[in-house]
Amino acid sequence: MLGSPLHTDSGYGCSDHYYESDTLLHSFEVLAKLLESPATQDIICDVGMPVMCRNVRYNCRVIFLNKKILLIRPKMILANAGNYRELRWFTPWSRARFVEEYFLPRMIQEVTGQETVPFGDAVLATKDTCLGSEICEELWAPNSPHIEMGLDGVEIFTNSSGSHHVLRKAHTRVNVVNSATAKSGGIYVLANQKGCDGDRLYYDGCAMISMNGDTIAQGSQFSLDDVEVLVATLDLEDVRSYRAEISCRNLEASKVNSYPRIKVNFALSCSDDIYVPICEPIQWRYHSPQEEICLGPACWLWDYLRRSNQAGFLLPLSGGIDSSATACIVYSMCRQVCLAVKNGNQGVLADVRRIVNDETYTPEDSQEFCGHIFTTCYMASENSSQDTYNRAKLLAEQIGSYHINLNIDVAVKAIVGIFSMVMGRSPLFRVYGGSSRENLALQNVQARIRMVLAYLFAQLSHWARGMPGGLLVLGSANVDESLYGYLTKYDCSSADINPVGGISKTDLRSFIQYCMENFQLTALRSIISAPPTAELEPLADGQVSQTDEEDMGMTYTELSVYGKLRKMAKAGPYSMFCKLINMWKEICTPREVASKVKHFFRMYSINRHKMTTLTPAYHAENYSPDDNRFDLRPFLYNSTWSWQFRSIDKQVSNLESKEGKPVLEDVD
């Protein structure tokens, strides 16, 4: 039997602060506190921190026991794709199975009494077993260190990970861990970072313990608890007997080069534990994508709110799917906060009282708490319908937000009036005879006025109500609209943060259905059935005449397909066309596919510049167009894509000639 080691993670959130000597200094100061803490005594502790050795910065595990550092193990395989840029700050340790002496700083020497400690690629040999440490990305690599370690007799693997949440990703992480112990046996202890570390990513926990291919213990995926302890009691003999019958594993083990072993005068088991019950395998409980949307962005919002020292959120609530989904996520956050307080989380209660500025307040009802920290605002214009007004009002009532109704027409007319007075001409909407440029400008004025008003009310609405503090402005442009650029630059999509900016319209629609059924929010029934619309053009007999999909010239379902092919499949215009003529062969001709692909890439390239000002959004999809660090592409394009589009046209002509159809000069 064994007790699992204490396990923490250094994370990635320091970014370029890793260049600063202060970060290294403070890391050692915290390490000194941990070494001296009574909580770390008689436990093998595995802590992550940056360490500089011979003027080279490494991402390391510092493994210690009873105020003595046993080993500093530098990371050998760095994460350098997608959201991660570890090679920017760290160097991988490239000397496999090599250990050197590391001279400790004086503040650590005073605690441990050690002048030097082992630094490098080694494992720990206790009285009863052998332990090895992996670090995050190393688990996911094709040549993971646990493979060679396991062949050399390492029975327990620890891994502190900084793995961020993405919709539908949890099963991949679980499978990778279980696979690590299924091939050749062993016990794997994974701890994953929890919470928002100050960026677009949310680290979703999911700590787990696996043995011989089975999950033994599962931690929570989304939680407001800062600390979670996961334990399991296991029999090392089960690992040994599992390995004993794998002939191919044993043949490879007989040829493996040995790891340096750090001898540790400590046992993880005791001699009289024969009657201690063993933990049995469990079935992992996965959240549905709708539950993930409900919980992940809500936890991210809570971290952002409590760290920003603001008094809550303000959301421009239009009565459409995106802003309503954002409102539901805030409501979900309120529900989780109330549940955490009910379960005795004193840290959450202290944060709540600080946010509402009341040392006696205890949130018990989610609607009541929502009224304290959440303000929604319906900004009507002459182009707004009564339907969206009613939807926004009813949803606000059901979730309990403080709701404001206002009309922006006076401000819009004032802005347009200034232009007309200066230039001597008045723009008109298309339906009144105006040009496309006039029509677009008049829509943009409305959208940008709403941004200005959102920030004004965020700063002053609490003041006007006699309450302290300001509000964070929430955006609600989804990932598909960002991909296309179907938003006005610096409009109410511009905000402080956006909890739905990495989520597709399709998933948001499913999430709305989930909230309607699980939160009894009947207001969502009419919201989910209404066609998405910006309501920026004049109504026709009081009814909406403008819809998003008609404006864009494509459906949201098509947009999701384009986004996944562009980013995840790395497809340019020609490759996307080639893939789609097969995917859509039952519904579109090659010529129609070509037209759709060309239209998407034209609009994508025309609007790509908007990504440079995109509101920081919760990262939930692997086809996010966020150019902060995830999607590094130009923002200035030649929107004709002349070479690529000619290649598409040539392929369409070839296909049509094979089918005996008349060949046209140009697809468009």
Side-chain angles (χ1 to χ4, degrees):
M1 285 63 167
L2 59 95
S4 62
L6 180 68
H7 214 48
T8 61
D9 195 304
S10 59
Y12 296 105
C14 290
S15 298
D16 280 2
H17 288 293
Y18 282 121
Y19 291 137
E20 301 168 4
S21 61
D22 282 12
T23 303
L24 298 168
L25 169 66
H26 299 325
S27 295
F28 273 112
E29 290 173 343
V30 172
L31 176 61
K33 293 286 187 183
L34 290 172
L35 285 162
E36 293 179 312
S37 171
T40 64
Q41 302 311 298
D42 295 323
I43 305 174
I44 295 178
C45 303
D46 179 352
V47 177
M49 60 180 282
V51 177
M52 186 171 283
C53 180
R54 301 182 188 273
N55 295 344
V56 179
R57 191 184 304 101
Y58 296 99
N59 187 357
C60 295
R61 310 303 306 170
V62 179
I63 306 172
F64 61 90
L65 168 67
N66 294 337
K67 296 186 180 181
K68 299 291 184 182
I69 294 176
L70 305 175
L71 171 68
I72 300 178
R73 198 286 207 182
K75 192 172 182 179
M76 304 178 73
I77 303 171
L78 302 186
N80 209 58
N83 287 292
Y84 302 109
R85 296 287 180 273
E86 258 193 298
L87 281 172
R88 181 178 175 92
W89 312 300
F90 299 110
T91 300
W93 180 259
S94 57
R95 290 180 281 181
R97 298 173 177 80
F98 178 84
V99 174
E100 63 181 54
E101 290 299 301
Y102 176 79
F103 285 83
L104 293 170
R106 282 176 292 181
M107 73 175 81
I108 303 299
Q109 291 184 27
E110 292 170 1
V111 176
T112 67
Q114 300 166 288
E115 184 178 71
T116 64
V117 295
F119 185 103
D121 184 24
V123 296
L124 304 180
T126 67
K127 290 182 177 181
D128 49 3
T129 187
C130 189
L131 294 88
S133 178
E134 285 191 317
I135 308 174
C136 195
E137 180 73 7
E138 294 175 341
L139 168 64
W140 299 79
N143 56 337
S144 295
H146 72 257
I147 299 171
E148 293 286 305
M149 286 182 185
L151 292 174
D152 193 33
V154 173
E155 295 175 329
I156 303 172
F157 310 96
T158 64
N159 187 320
S160 278
S161 190
S163 179
H164 66 280
H165 172 238
V166 172
L167 293 176
R168 305 172 179 88
K169 174 185 173 183
H171 73 280
T172 304
R173 187 189 295 144
V174 173
N175 289 343
V176 168
V177 174
N178 284 336
S179 295
T181 62
K183 283 186 178 181
S184 59
I187 297 168
Y188 208 103
V189 182
L190 175 80
N192 189 36
Q193 191 173 344
K194 293 176 63 177
C196 167
D197 68 346
D199 214 315
R200 293 153 173 81
L201 305 183
Y202 177 76
Y203 298 94
D204 57 337
C206 282
M208 66 178 292
I209 300 172
S210 170
M211 184 176 75
N212 299 343
D214 292 321
T215 300
I216 304 298
Q218 172 185 353
S220 60
Q221 184 171 10
F222 305 105
S223 171
L224 299 186
D225 296 334
D226 288 330
V227 177
E228 181 179 17
V229 179
L230 197 64
V231 296
T233 303
L234 301 172
D235 193 338
L236 288 169
E237 291 303 321
D238 289 339
V239 173
R240 292 158 188 166
S241 59
Y242 184 91
R243 287 177 169 178
E245 65 176 355
I246 306 176
S247 177
C248 60
R249 179 258 168 204
N250 298 332
L251 286 172
E252 291 299 316
S254 67
K255 299 180 287 185
V256 75
N257 294 323
S258 295
Y259 278 80
R261 274 169 161 71
I262 309 298
K263 293 183 180 180
V264 183
N265 187 25
F266 185 78
L268 294 177
S269 59
C270 55
S271 57
D272 58 350
D273 58 4
I274 189 169
Y275 291 112
V276 177
I278 303 298
C279 295
E280 297 296 328
I282 62 171
Q283 193 69 35
W284 191 279
R285 195 280 186 194
Y286 293 101
H287 290 290
S288 68
Q290 294 77 30
E291 290 174 321
E292 291 185 86
I293 295 171
C294 185
L295 297 172
C299 291
W300 182 75
L301 282 181
W302 176 246
D303 268 2
Y304 207 106
L305 178 59
R306 67 181 182 142
R307 295 182 189 186
S308 65
N309 289 320
Q310 297 300 298
F313 301 109
L314 181 138
L315 171 68
L317 184 60
S318 69
I321 285 177
D322 297 335
S323 63
S324 297
T326 304
C328 289
I329 288 172
V330 177
Y331 179 61
S332 172
M333 183 200 79
C334 294
R335 289 171 60 94
Q336 291 182 72
V337 167
C338 291
L339 180 61
V341 171
K342 182 180 178 180
N343 291 337
N345 191 318
Q346 293 301 307
V348 171
L349 179 59
D351 286 331
V352 167
R353 289 174 171 174
R354 177 175 49 81
I355 289 167
V356 302
N357 196 41
D358 183 348
E359 289 301 317
T360 64
Y361 176 72
T362 299
E364 296 178 351
D365 178 79
S366 51
Q367 280 93 346
E368 186 268 340
F369 178 52
C370 194
H372 276 81
I373 57 96
F374 191 31
T375 297
T376 51
C377 183
Y378 182 80
M379 303 184 192
S381 75
E382 61 185 13
N383 302 321
S384 302
S385 67
Q386 187 66 36
D387 287 342
T388 53
Y389 169 87
N390 292 337
R391 291 178 206 136
K393 183 174 182 294
L394 182 56
L395 179 59
E397 289 174 357
Q398 292 183 355
I399 65 175
S401 66
Y402 179 79
H403 192 60
I404 299 170
N405 286 303
L406 60 89
N407 192 290
I408 67 172
D409 286 337
V410 174
V412 173
K413 289 174 182 176
I415 296 294
V416 175
I418 292 173
F419 174 85
S420 300
M421 182 175 62
V422 173
M423 302 303 296
R425 297 189 66 185
S426 296
L428 297 173
F429 281 106
R430 185 188 291 112
V431 296
Y432 301 138
S435 65
S436 296
R437 184 169 292 275
E438 293 170 72
N439 196 69
L440 183 59
L442 289 172
Q443 292 185 67
N444 289 346
V445 167
Q446 298 169 75
R448 289 178 174 134
I449 285 293
R450 286 180 171 131
M451 181 200 71
V452 174
L453 288 171
Y455 275 98
L456 178 65
F457 276 82
Q459 290 175 319
L460 295 179
S461 60
H462 269 209
W463 166 80
R465 297 167 61 193
M467 300 166 61
L471 304 174
L472 293 164
V473 179
L474 296 181
S476 56
N478 63 64
V479 71
D480 298 323
E481 289 170 345
S482 298
L483 173 67
Y484 179 99
Y486 186 66
L487 52 94
T488 300
K489 204 173 185 180
Y490 306 117
D491 70 346
C492 59
S493 63
S494 298
D496 293 313
I497 49 176
N498 180 359
V500 301
I503 305 173
S504 72
K505 192 79 162 190
T506 303
D507 282 336
L508 288 177
R509 189 178 291 276
S510 299
F511 169 63
I512 289 286
Q513 183 71 36
Y514 170 87
C515 292
M516 185 172 66
E517 296 170 357
N518 289 271
F519 297 162
Q520 289 75 52
L521 300 176
T522 57
L524 299 174
R525 187 171 291 111
S526 60
I527 290 170
I528 199 172
S529 62
T533 174
E535 287 196 330
L536 295 172
E537 293 189 32
L539 302 174
D541 299 323
Q543 299 300 312
V544 171
S545 60
Q546 176 189 30
T547 64
D548 292 352
E549 292 184 336
E550 186 178 351
D551 272 2
M552 293 188 297
M554 62 188 72
T555 66
Y556 280 106
T557 301
E558 289 173 340
L559 254 179
S560 292
V561 173
Y562 299 145
K564 290 170 183 175
L565 290 175
R566 180 198 70 98
K567 178 64 178 176
M568 297 167 65
K570 286 80 177 173
Y574 180 75
S575 296
M576 187 180 292
F577 165 77
C578 292
K579 292 177 183 295
L580 287 176
I581 57 174
N582 289 301
M583 290 173 59
W584 291 348
K585 62 184 177 182
E586 302 299 328
I587 57 174
C588 293
T589 66
R591 184 168 292 274
E592 289 169 336
V593 171
S595 180
K596 287 175 178 288
V597 168
K598 292 164 78 172
H599 177 61
F600 164 72
F601 272 99
R602 283 197 197 95
M603 302 313 299
Y604 163 78
S605 56
I606 288 170
N607 291 319
R608 177 67 186 175
H609 65 94
K610 297 178 183 179
M611 296 303 96
T612 63
T613 62
L614 195 67
T615 295
Y618 182 95
H619 181 88
E621 283 284 5
N622 280 328
Y623 69 93
S624 168
D626 185 356
D627 77 339
N628 170 62
R629 65 181 178 187
F630 181 71
D631 188 28
L632 304 183
R633 299 171 191 244
F635 62 85
L636 180 62
Y637 280 92
N638 181 343
S639 61
T640 62
W641 298 84
S642 53
W643 188 278
Q644 293 89 337
F645 287 2
R646 279 200 302 270
S647 297
I648 293 174
D649 292 343
K650 184 185 297 183
Q651 189 60 254
V652 170
S653 298
N654 290 339
L655 291 171
E656 290 181 341
S657 64
K658 290 179 181 179
E659 295 176 2
K661 294 182 180 179
V663 177
L664 304 177
E665 289 297 320
D666 191 349
V667 169
D668 292 334

